[in-house]
Amino acid sequence: KDVTAKDIANLYSRIHNLIETVKEPQQKASAALAAPTPADPTSSSANDNGQINGSECPCHRVCFNLASRTCGICERIIPAVAEAHNERTLLLEDIEQTNARLAEEQKRASAEAVEAEILRKKVEDLEDALDAKTDDYLSAQRDLAVLNDKYVDEIEKVAELQHAKEMVEGELEELSRTLFEEANGMVASEARARHQLELTRKHLELELKDAQERLAAETSQLKELKTKMEAMMDAQPVSKRSSTDPSNRGSEPTTAIAIDGHMMHEFKEFVAQSSTVRLAKIHSLPFMRHCQDEDVEPCLRFGSNPRITARKLTEGICSNTCFIESATAEQVKEYERMGGCQCCGRSGPLTHRYRIATSDEWSFIDRFCRDRLVAACEFYIFIRNIRAGLYSTRTIEDLFSESLRLRLQMFYAR
């Protein structure tokens, strides 16, 4: 158990009480020894004043030695002195023990004081270290706050960079998709353009073939017309002589062909106005309106159960988007399961196919419907050539005769 200042104070108080207790018997013994005793009859030692000298006191004979407990006269133990001596011995032992304990306690107190000083120094050192650690902790807290702010800033920057990365990746993906779509579109457009060019080439080849056929027909007609004109020129003098002879005037039959003046007038107006009228409005002219009503629509009207209207065919032929070509056996075999002719609806051998526009699918027709379509196409080719001014060197009568021939061809085709 550690000794406290309160324990030390209690010890001093007990020691003081013991000392006081020891002093009281000694003082009593001293007082008893100093008290006057009855005069010894044999003793004559007294001073003149009636007082006994100290050396002559009877107590010196009784207790000649303070260490002895016996009487010096009778040599018997004096109980009071023995008791006082025992008490003194006990007190001295207590004092020695108390002094030893006091010394030990003092040593312990000194050691504890030294240890307390060491501990105080350690406490001061620890307080200094604690202050330093506190300063370090506060500095670390500040550094941690700064690092936390930087960490938050870095997190925000990383989030922004991540968002920017996602945006760039999205834009890159969108750009890649757009590029692929554009590339596919370009490839598809190229394929469509190539297909369109192929169709255009075939159509031009057909037109060239038709033009060559028409040129051959025109050449043969020109030769025939030239032969007829030469024959007419050779026969003209005879006719004049015959006409001047009154006797032969009534005997020859009249061979002149009458021409409808109203139709000729409409045709002249058409030739004059065709170049200024749009092709879509060409049927607003009287000549074309009559041709459409009297020749074109009857030619393109395919019986009582037509698969397509004459108006739609007229628009495609007039705008030069109608294509007609021969059909192969494989194409016809694949199509025959779908039905008969796509113009008149009759079942029979399908030899040709047509379409009104390049975006339409091919429709298969027989030879007779093909002749009708070709007759209408040739008539509108003649009309477009007039609008283009390709017949500017030919006379109105010649062009009118050509139009009558083409209208007659539509009549024969139906």
Side-chain angles (χ1 to χ4, degrees):
K1 181 180 179 180
D2 296 335
V3 179
T4 62
K6 184 177 180 180
D7 295 334
I8 295 173
N10 293 331
L11 181 62
Y12 274 111
S13 177
R14 290 176 61 190
I15 292 171
H16 182 69
N17 292 332
L18 289 173
I19 293 172
E20 291 296 330
T21 305
V22 171
K23 285 182 178 181
E24 287 179 0
Q26 288 180 353
Q27 289 176 358
K28 289 180 180 181
S30 298
L33 291 174
T37 59
D40 190 356
T42 64
S43 178
S44 62
S45 58
N47 54 10
D48 296 335
N49 297 329
Q51 296 180 351
I52 298 174
N53 293 329
S55 61
E56 295 178 357
C57 183
C59 67
H60 286 281
R61 291 194 297 270
V62 177
C63 296
F64 66 91
N65 189 3
L66 294 176
S68 179
R69 294 174 290 178
T70 60
C71 178
I73 298 175
C74 62
E75 295 182 353
R76 290 181 297 182
I77 295 173
I78 302 171
V81 174
E83 184 180 357
H85 189 270
N86 291 332
E87 290 180 358
R88 178 176 175 274
T89 301
L90 293 174
L91 290 173
L92 288 175
E93 290 178 357
D94 290 338
I95 289 171
E96 288 179 358
Q97 292 178 358
T98 303
N99 288 332
R101 289 176 62 186
L102 180 61
E104 185 179 355
E105 293 295 333
Q106 286 178 351
K107 288 181 181 180
R108 287 180 61 184
S110 299
E112 288 178 356
V114 173
E115 186 177 357
E117 184 66 21
I118 293 172
L119 292 175
R120 186 182 62 79
K121 289 182 180 180
K122 287 184 179 180
V123 168
E124 291 178 355
D125 294 338
L126 290 174
E127 287 178 352
D128 294 337
L130 181 61
D131 293 337
K133 293 294 182 181
T134 303
D135 294 336
D136 294 339
Y137 175 74
L138 295 176
S139 178
Q141 287 286 341
R142 290 191 294 270
D143 294 340
L144 183 61
V146 173
L147 290 176
N148 190 23
D149 295 337
K150 291 183 179 180
Y151 176 70
V152 172
D153 294 338
E154 291 297 328
I155 288 177
E156 292 178 355
K157 289 181 180 179
V158 169
E160 292 178 357
L161 291 175
Q162 185 68 24
H163 181 66
K165 179 183 176 182
E166 292 176 357
M167 294 278 292
V168 171
E169 289 179 352
E171 291 178 357
L172 182 61
E173 184 178 357
E174 182 67 22
L175 182 60
S176 300
R177 185 179 61 81
T178 304
L179 288 176
F180 277 115
E181 289 179 356
E182 290 181 356
N184 293 332
M186 291 175 65
V187 172
S189 299
E190 183 67 21
R192 287 194 298 270
R194 188 164 56 251
H195 180 66
Q196 185 66 31
L197 288 175
E198 184 67 21
L199 295 176
T200 305
R201 184 184 65 81
K202 291 182 179 180
H203 179 64
L204 291 176
E205 288 178 354
L206 292 175
E207 288 187 350
L208 178 60
K209 184 178 179 180
D210 293 338
Q212 290 175 351
E213 291 177 356
R214 290 197 302 272
L215 181 60
E218 293 288 341
T219 303
S220 62
Q221 291 179 6
L222 183 59
K223 290 181 179 180
E224 184 180 357
L225 183 60
K226 185 177 180 181
T227 303
K228 290 181 179 180
M229 291 295 292
E230 289 178 353
M232 290 176 63
M233 291 296 294
D234 293 338
Q236 186 175 5
V238 177
S239 299
K240 286 183 178 181
R241 287 193 298 270
S242 300
S243 61
T244 55
D245 190 0
S247 61
N248 296 328
R249 186 175 299 175
S251 61
E252 292 182 0
T254 303
T255 59
I257 300 175
I259 298 176
D260 189 352
H262 181 69
M263 288 295 295
M264 177 62 75
H265 179 70
E266 289 182 353
F267 182 75
K268 289 180 179 179
E269 289 182 352
F270 165 74
V271 174
Q273 298 176 4
S274 60
S275 59
T276 60
V277 178
R278 290 188 298 112
L279 192 61
K281 299 292 183 180
I282 196 70
H283 295 96
S284 62
L285 299 177
F287 174 75
M288 288 301 300
R289 187 167 57 250
H290 290 150
C291 291
Q292 184 182 15
D293 295 338
E294 297 173 1
D295 300 299
V296 177
E297 287 189 356
C299 180
L300 300 178
R301 191 178 296 122
F302 299 98
S304 59
N305 188 23
R307 298 289 181 87
I308 189 171
T309 62
R311 181 72 64 179
K312 188 174 182 180
L313 286 171
T314 303
E315 292 176 357
I317 295 172
C318 181
S319 59
N320 198 22
T321 58
C322 181
F323 298 93
I324 305 171
E325 63 180 19
S326 299
T328 62
E330 292 79 5
Q331 294 171 347
V332 173
K333 184 177 180 181
E334 182 181 356
Y335 183 78
E336 280 180 347
R337 292 174 293 180
M338 300 178 62
C341 177
Q342 293 300 303
C343 285
C344 62
R346 294 192 302 265
S347 59
L350 304 177
T351 58
H352 294 76
R353 64 177 185 173
Y354 82 98
R355 62 183 178 183
I356 298 176
T358 55
S359 59
D360 295 341
E361 295 182 356
W362 290 101
S363 299
F364 289 79
I365 56 176
D366 57 14
R367 184 177 63 84
F368 304 104
C369 294
R370 177 261 177 194
D371 294 339
R372 290 192 176 198
L373 292 177
V374 170
C377 289
E378 289 181 353
F379 175 74
Y380 277 99
I381 290 172
F382 173 73
I383 297 300
R384 286 194 297 272
N385 291 337
I386 291 177
R387 288 185 72 254
L390 301 180
Y391 300 145
S392 59
T393 58
R394 298 175 63 175
T395 61
I396 294 295
E397 289 77 8
D398 188 14
L399 295 176
F400 184 71
S401 300
E402 182 68 17
S403 68
L404 293 177
R405 185 187 68 80
L406 294 173
R407 293 173 69 182
L408 185 60
Q409 183 175 342
M410 286 189 287
F411 172 76
Y412 288 145
R414 70 172 186 266

